[in-house]
Amino acid sequence: MSTSALYQYKPLNFENSLRLLKLAPATSWKADIHCVLIDITLSTATEYEALSYVWGKDEYPNTLHLPNGYLKITDSLASALKRLRSADSSRTLWVDAVCIDQTNPMEKAQQVAQMAEIYRNAMKVVAWLGEEPQLALDMPAIHALSRKAQEIGLRSPSDNDRDIVRAYVYGNSDRVQWVLGFMSAVENSGFPAVYQSAWFTRMWIVQEALLAKHLKLCCGAESLDWDDFERVMMLIHAVNGAIRLPMSHRDAFVKYAWNLVQVRDTWCHRHRESRGNQSDEAPEVMFYMHQLRRRKCKDDRDRVFALQGLLSEKSQLIIQPDYSKTVVQIYVELARNLLRCGIIGVLYDAGLWKRRFFQLPDLSTEHSDHGSWADYLPTWVPDFRKDTAFVELAETQFGGFFGADPRVPQSLDFPKEPYRLTTQATLVDIITSVPPALFIHREALRTNDVNMFFAVRRFCKDLLRAFDARLTTGRYPNGEDSATAFAHAIVGGYNSDNDEVDRHPLDLWKLYERYCMAEDGEVYLGMLTESNSTMSDRKTVKGVRQDFYSNVSAEGGTAWGYHHRLVSIFRRHWFFMSDGGYAGLAPMNTQPETDVLAFINGANVPFVVRDLGEDSSDYLLIGPCYIHGLMDGHAVKKNKAFASGVGTIQII
């Protein structure tokens, strides 16, 4: 019998102990929810299912009845338990909100630390997606879609699924019609309601889904095995890769559900191939932090804690869940651990997180109006918090090749102040000019290709004039003529999108000058026509009519593609010029006069660091950059011209 008193937890006796919930049967949906809690150890051969769900709002209007009291639970958990209970027998579950004493921080930390084992040992993980939506799920139709994926030959989320679908429909009119009506069939099955579930957006569910022996998705009274869900997701992704069709909630599909499908597939492959090989774990942590950065969690510390279960027990990267530590302490500890494992890519990632500001605490006091050192996240530490954004690199020569440089060993040191990182570095040159392309982010331009074209064209003309004026001799520091150097610098050495024809940066720039910048250029004249056409004529994407694409020549089309490459680059990088005449692409927020081009020992691309002035020996890490003619740190270190710049710097 339950009582009117709040349930009082008894302490768990052993480190590997946990509680399980035995859910009492009920024949009516409206019946009260009853259960008992039992203590076991992880080594006990007890069969149970682990529940994975979204807690929802911090409101607890429902009652869970226990023999010696009651607990208040959320609507989400109450509906899950009502759906999962059997009509005639008990069901044994592990449910975090009930099986962990949420009022006991020490127990919570200890249980969170062993959650990976809890989910790994469960005979099944049940993912509760919520009550069935208004549009009921048509399970026979969903299973038919799963079988269709197998029929077509889709085997893995990592396959080139677009080509598989194209080969399947090629030359077959019936299959073409099936593809054209495909998304209607998906909508009618109710499947979009599954991948739109808030469950897919949460950070903690990733560990729970990856570690599950058997994963079942439950939506109201219906359930779906993960294998069937994955196949339908692969089919949707493949068809939309082959022919872009209207899709309900495309963002939810791509950012969360498809992302989890890909991550789980990657995890399964890597787990089979290298589980237990600790040398592979540091890169994996960075991979998962990147892949899962958009996911939601109430506590930013959980962005690290939620991935600990994916590491081996003896991993050097293990950070025991400790909610007495701040977010800053946890992120600094993770960055230090990764750097000690040789993952200097941490510095690269740290520079790509778009921080709200670089406001330092007052150096002279422990506390100030600008916060304290205890609250300060160093610039060499990636900022995974939910109110920051990761700025992806545009495709440039250096974008895909960042890593360690074995020819220049790392020389990192961690002083007693946790916010400092000491390293050997070569300071190359001071940045003196950074004309930012602020126009690129204006809504009126982002949604209109015609207006964007003219803005980028003007900006490129201004950059070229400034660059030529800087090179008074007409020669770049490495001896190249100014045209060749500028063509490389403005695109970070990028060649071409076309795998069949590898175009040199100078060739691409000359095409852009001829077709886009010249007053009689084909693309320029075409854009003038587009800008003068009436709005009723513009029934294509972003203000450009089909006539333009039909009439443009092959070389003009290449120049138009190069324009879009410039747009992509200017959205993520700022063009810079240095005191010594070097030029390239720097992170956004780079400043002239205070920012310095530097090679950090162990890294194979240069960085921008900010000199804090005569009163400080510290630097801020701004981020990785492209310096035309100076992309080899080993060569720079041996160059006598830069010998005076070699020394020890402290980054904060």
Side-chain angles (χ1 to χ4, degrees), residues 421-561:
L421 174 69
T422 301
T423 181
Q424 285 281 310
T426 303
L427 303 181
V428 174
D429 204 1
I430 297 173
I431 293 174
T432 54
S433 176
V434 190
L438 297 178
F439 65 87
I440 210 87
H441 300 288
R442 294 176 191 160
E443 185 66 23
L445 295 183
R446 288 197 307 109
T447 58
N448 190 295
D449 273 348
V450 178
N451 294 341
M452 180 68 82
F453 171 83
F454 291 117
V456 170
R457 180 177 180 267
R458 285 192 300 271
F459 185 65
C460 287
K461 285 190 171 187
D462 291 341
L463 288 182
L464 183 59
R465 277 194 294 268
F467 184 79
D468 287 341
R470 178 61 60 90
L471 297 184
T472 55
T473 65
R475 311 301 296 184
Y476 194 70
N478 67 357
E480 288 178 341
D481 63 89
S482 61
T484 300
F486 181 81
H488 280 83
I490 197 171
V491 291
Y494 166 79
N495 288 334
S496 171
D497 270 332
N498 192 332
D499 293 334
E500 297 178 2
V501 181
D502 190 20
R503 305 291 290 263
H504 190 274
L506 181 59
D507 294 337
L508 291 170
W509 174 252
K510 285 182 176 179
L511 281 178
Y512 182 73
E513 284 189 309
R514 176 183 172 188
Y515 288 91
C516 298
M517 293 180 71
E519 296 300 316
D520 61 349
E522 177 189 353
V523 176
Y524 173 66
L525 294 176
M527 287 295 103
L528 283 177
T529 300
E530 292 301 309
S531 66
N532 293 324
S533 63
T534 62
M535 291 301 294
S536 60
D537 292 334
R538 297 194 181 175
K539 296 182 179 179
T540 57
V541 177
K542 294 186 178 182
V544 180
R545 296 173 301 165
Q546 185 62 42
D547 289 352
F548 170 79
Y549 294 102
S550 300
N551 297 329
V552 71
S553 66
E555 293 286 63
T558 300
W560 177 244

Side-chain angles (χ1 to χ4, degrees), residues 336 380 414-421 650:
R336 283 189 164 204
W380 52 271
F414 303 95
K416 64 178 181 179
E417 303 98 334
Y419 52 83
R420 277 197 167 88
L421 174 69
Q650 290 191 111

Side-chain angles (χ1 to χ4, degrees), residues 427-434 470 576-583 590-598 608-609 611 619 642:
L427 303 181
V428 174
D429 204 1
I430 297 173
I431 293 174
T432 54
S433 176
V434 190
R470 178 61 60 90
F576 74 85
M577 289 173 278
S578 75
D579 186 55
Y582 289 100
T590 297
Q591 296 178 177
E593 307 304 336
T594 62
D595 290 358
V596 181
L597 302 171
V608 174
V609 296
D611 189 342
Y619 290 81
F642 304 110

Side-chain angles (χ1 to χ4, degrees), residues 281-299:
E281 290 188 331
E284 278 197 27
V285 168
M286 295 307 299
F287 167 79
Y288 291 120
M289 295 299 284
H290 273 290
Q291 287 291 313
L292 307 171
R293 64 181 181 274
R294 296 187 181 100
R295 296 190 174 274
K296 301 175 183 177
C297 55
K298 293 180 179 179
D299 191 325

Side-chain angles (χ1 to χ4, degrees), residues 112-128:
V112 167
Q114 65 181 27
M115 277 177 63
E117 283 303 304
I118 292 172
Y119 279 94
R120 190 179 288 116
N121 290 346
M123 65 176 185
K124 181 192 301 179
V125 172
V126 179
W128 174 247

Side-chain angles (χ1 to χ4, degrees), residues 282-283 286 335 337-351 380 382 402-406 408-412 421 423-424 599-605 607 621:
M286 295 307 299
N337 288 351
L338 286 164
L339 288 169
R340 288 188 177 109
C341 289
I343 308 301
I344 201 165
V346 169
L347 305 182
Y348 171 87
D349 290 340
W380 52 271
F402 183 86
D405 188 339
V408 186
Q410 292 182 33
S411 56
L412 302 175
L421 174 69
T423 181
Q424 285 281 310
F599 277 92
I600 295 173
N601 280 22
N604 67 354
V605 301
F607 284 82
L621 182 76

Side-chain angles (χ1 to χ4, degrees), residues 31 53 111 218 305 338 346 351 356 362-363 444 463 483 540 588 594 629:
Y53 69 107
Q111 290 289 291
C218 293
F305 294 158
L338 286 164
V346 169
R356 291 164 294 174
D362 188 337
L363 294 173
L463 288 182
T540 57
M588 295 187 292
T594 62

